[in-house]
């Protein structure tokens, strides 16, 4: 009987356990199936390649509307997002450029470069000017790179320079030869004495004293005691310098004058790939000054001062007036620079003209390879042979 009761008790306990397990089924944590452990993202592959920055124009008006279009490329393919622009003229500060169009209301020079995914582009220069920007002169022969060449002749002189009449007389005789005159553009730098009515301060001082003539900032000579000898040497060296090289570049100019301000755009076109500089000078004719004389060669015409250098916007250093850097220009391509000149009220606009020249790098120095004259309000196109 006890055995039967124990057996019944076991069955009842088993039944109660089954009921208990069934009622609490939803409250018991069931083991979840194993889930894969998510992988941590690895570092992104660095972007590599060559980043370049191009612009459609180098000169804009600082009116907040005129714009230079910026084109960023990675290995030749356009990049249109996540580009950051910097201005090297302001400690490489980040600048806002909307829709890749650079505008500004502040006149000045800007050195822009682009940053993309830790890559850095080349730098481009944009000049913003307050005045109207002269258009680029039309190129009558875009595929031509054979330019007419002229030598830049700079005479360092002064009304109080006693030996300068010898040089003046010799140059006048040399340039009376039409063949010689056609090869030369002449400018007179009156920086012998501040009492000179055509005095220009802060300009280069010739190492050999006064008078001195420098051709293309390369060859120089002084007076040869007589008019005949000075003329002979001048012709010889002008021909020597002219024949030393072809014109490595040509120059086109568009200049506008208003209210005493000259706004000048100079365009340099390379005949050969090279590193170039460009300079612009303002000359004035029709001045008067009493010329000193130690030579006995003084003539009345020497008191008339023409080709007087008023502004020399070409200073690279205290001893280098070969022009402002344009960087490397490939053969057949062009580079531009804007010049702004403020004339003094005493200068006569009708008597003024411009000289624009281009120099090229040779053995870590520069020599002028071409020069042109231009009205202060006018256009000069590339002159081809």
């Amino acid at each position: 009987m006890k055995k039967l009761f124990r057996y019944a008790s076991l069955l009842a306990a088993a039944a109660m356990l089954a009921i208990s397990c069934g009622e609490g089924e939803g409250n018991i944590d069931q083991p979840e199936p194993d889930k894969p452990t998510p992988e941590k993202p690895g570092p992104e592959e660095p972007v590599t390649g060559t980043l370049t920055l191009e612009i459609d124009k180098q000169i804009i008006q600082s009116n907040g509307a005129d714009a230079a279009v910026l084109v960023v490329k990675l290995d030749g393919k356009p990049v249109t997002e996540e580009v950051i622009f910097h201005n090297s003229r302001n400690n490489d500060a980040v600048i806002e450029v909307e829709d890749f169009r650079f505008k500004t209301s502040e006149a000045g020079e800007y050195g822009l470069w682009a940053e993309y995914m830790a890559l850095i582009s080349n730098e481009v220069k944009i000049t913003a000017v307050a005045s109207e920007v002269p258009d680029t002169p039309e190129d009558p022969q875009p595929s031509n790179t054979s330019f007419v060449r002229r030598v830049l002749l700079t005479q360092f002189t002064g009304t109080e320079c006693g030996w300068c009449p010898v040089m003046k007389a010799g140059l006048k005789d040399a340039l009376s030869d039409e063949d010689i005159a056609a090869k030369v553009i002449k400018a007179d730098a009156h920086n012998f004495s501040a009492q000179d009515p055509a005095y220009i301060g802060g300009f280069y001082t010739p190492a050999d004293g006064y008078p001195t003539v420098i051709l293309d900032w390369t060859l120089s000579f002084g007076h040869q005691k007589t008019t005949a000898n000075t003329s002979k040497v001048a012709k010889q060296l002008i021909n020597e310098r002219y024949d030393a090289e072809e014109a490595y570049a040509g120059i086109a100019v568009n200049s506008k004058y208003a209210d005493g301000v000259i706004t000048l755009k100079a365009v340099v076109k390379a005949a050969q790939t090279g590193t170039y500089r460009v300079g612009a000078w303002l000359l004035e004719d029709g001045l008067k000054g009493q010329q000193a004389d130690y030579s006995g060669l003084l003539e009345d015409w020497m008191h008339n001062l023409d080709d007087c250098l008023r502004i020399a916007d070409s200073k690279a250093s205290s001893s280098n007036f070969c022009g402002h850097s344009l960087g490397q220009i490939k053969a057949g391509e062009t580079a531009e620079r804007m010049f702004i000149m403020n004339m003094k009220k005493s200068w006569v606009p009708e008597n003024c003209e411009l000289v624009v020249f281009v120099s090229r790098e040779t053995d870590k120095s520069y020599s002028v390879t071409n020069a042109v004259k231009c009205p202060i309000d006018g256009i000069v196109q590339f002159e081809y042979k």
Side-chain angles (χ1 to χ4, degrees):
M1 189 68 179
K2 288 182 179 179
K3 291 183 178 179
L4 179 62
F5 179 78
R6 179 178 291 180
Y7 182 73
S9 297
L10 290 173
L11 288 177
M16 291 297 292
L17 181 61
I19 293 171
S20 176
C21 289
E23 289 178 348
E25 185 176 357
N27 297 323
I28 296 177
D29 292 335
Q30 300 293 326
E32 295 183 0
D34 292 339
K35 295 181 180 179
T37 303
E39 295 183 3
K40 294 182 179 180
E44 293 184 5
E45 289 294 326
V47 176
T48 60
T50 301
L51 192 69
T52 58
L53 174 59
E54 301 171 0
I55 52 177
D56 68 333
K57 54 184 175 181
Q58 296 173 310
I59 304 164
I60 61 174
Q61 189 174 2
S62 57
N63 57 6
D66 193 16
V69 177
L70 311 181
V71 178
V72 180
K73 295 181 180 179
L74 178 59
D75 289 338
K77 297 181 180 179
V79 178
T80 58
E81 295 180 346
E82 301 184 57
V83 177
I84 301 172
F85 292 100
H86 299 260
N87 178 20
S88 68
R89 302 298 196 276
N90 186 23
N91 297 319
D92 295 322
V94 175
I95 58 172
E96 295 294 329
V97 177
E98 186 177 352
D99 297 329
F100 287 74
R101 295 170 61 84
F102 175 75
K103 309 173 189 176
T104 182
S105 298
E106 297 184 11
E109 289 189 351
Y110 296 80
L112 302 188
W113 55 274
E115 178 184 358
Y116 173 70
M117 297 296 184
L119 295 178
I120 294 175
S121 77
N122 57 295
E123 181 178 315
V124 298
K125 186 179 72 174
I126 298 176
T127 302
V129 295
S131 56
E132 179 185 355
V133 179
D135 294 330
T136 299
E138 181 181 353
D139 188 345
Q141 301 179 46
S143 62
N144 196 345
T145 56
S146 181
F147 302 103
V148 172
R149 166 162 152 72
R150 292 182 180 87
V151 173
L152 178 64
L153 185 156
T154 309
Q155 178 184 203
F156 292 85
T157 186
T159 53
E160 296 190 19
C161 167
W163 292 110
C164 286
V166 184
M167 182 68 81
K168 288 187 173 186
L171 286 180
K172 182 180 180 181
D173 183 76
L175 297 177
S176 66
D177 183 328
E178 293 183 0
D179 180 62
I180 294 294
K183 298 175 181 178
V184 167
I185 287 180
K186 174 176 167 286
D188 289 353
H190 286 249
N191 60 347
F192 179 82
S193 169
Q195 285 68 47
D196 195 312
Y199 178 73
I200 178 170
F203 192 55
Y204 177 81
T205 300
D208 296 330
Y210 297 80
T212 292
V213 165
I214 300 180
L215 304 175
D216 286 344
W217 291 110
T218 301
L219 292 177
S220 64
F221 62 94
H223 73 89
Q224 306 296 309
K225 296 185 178 180
T226 68
T227 298
N229 286 343
T230 303
S231 175
K232 180 181 178 180
V233 169
K235 289 180 178 180
Q236 175 186 337
L237 293 182
I238 288 170
N239 281 328
E240 178 181 328
R241 180 60 200 149
Y242 181 84
D243 295 337
E245 61 181 58
E246 293 290 320
Y248 283 84
I251 308 166
V253 181
N254 188 357
S255 177
K256 294 185 179 296
Y257 171 78
D259 301 324
V261 179
I262 300 170
T263 306
L264 161 69
K265 177 187 280 190
V267 184
V268 173
K269 183 178 179 181
Q272 294 189 23
T273 299
T275 303
Y276 293 91
R277 292 180 175 268
V278 64
W281 292 354
L282 177 67
L283 309 185
E284 184 180 9
D285 294 337
L287 280 73
K288 301 284 186 180
Q290 186 65 37
Q291 178 64 54
D293 177 47
Y294 301 154
S295 65
L297 297 176
L298 184 66
E299 298 181 25
D300 288 343
W301 64 267
M302 294 182 183
H303 304 305
N304 300 322
L305 312 178
D306 294 327
D307 302 322
C308 300
L309 184 56
R310 289 302 205 178
I311 296 175
D313 194 348
S314 64
K315 185 176 181 178
S317 70
S318 60
S319 60
N320 182 352
F321 281 79
C322 288
H324 304 284
S325 176
L326 293 173
Q328 185 183 81
I329 310 176
K330 295 181 179 179
E333 296 185 358
T334 62
E336 301 177 354
R337 183 179 174 89
M338 179 70 72
F339 295 86
I340 307 295
M341 297 182 178
N342 296 298
M343 296 178 57
K344 292 184 178 180
K345 292 183 178 179
S346 60
W347 300 349
V348 181
E350 293 78 10
N351 293 342
C352 292
E353 60 186 344
L354 296 162
V355 170
V356 181
F357 63 88
V358 55
S359 57
R360 69 183 185 94
E361 185 175 15
T362 57
D363 298 328
K364 297 184 179 181
S365 63
Y366 283 84
S367 63
V368 174
T369 190
N370 215 344
V372 299
K373 272 191 174 182
C374 178
I376 63 172
D377 195 350
I379 296 176
V380 171
Q381 294 178 315
F382 294 115
E383 186 176 2
Y384 297 103
K385 289 183 179 179

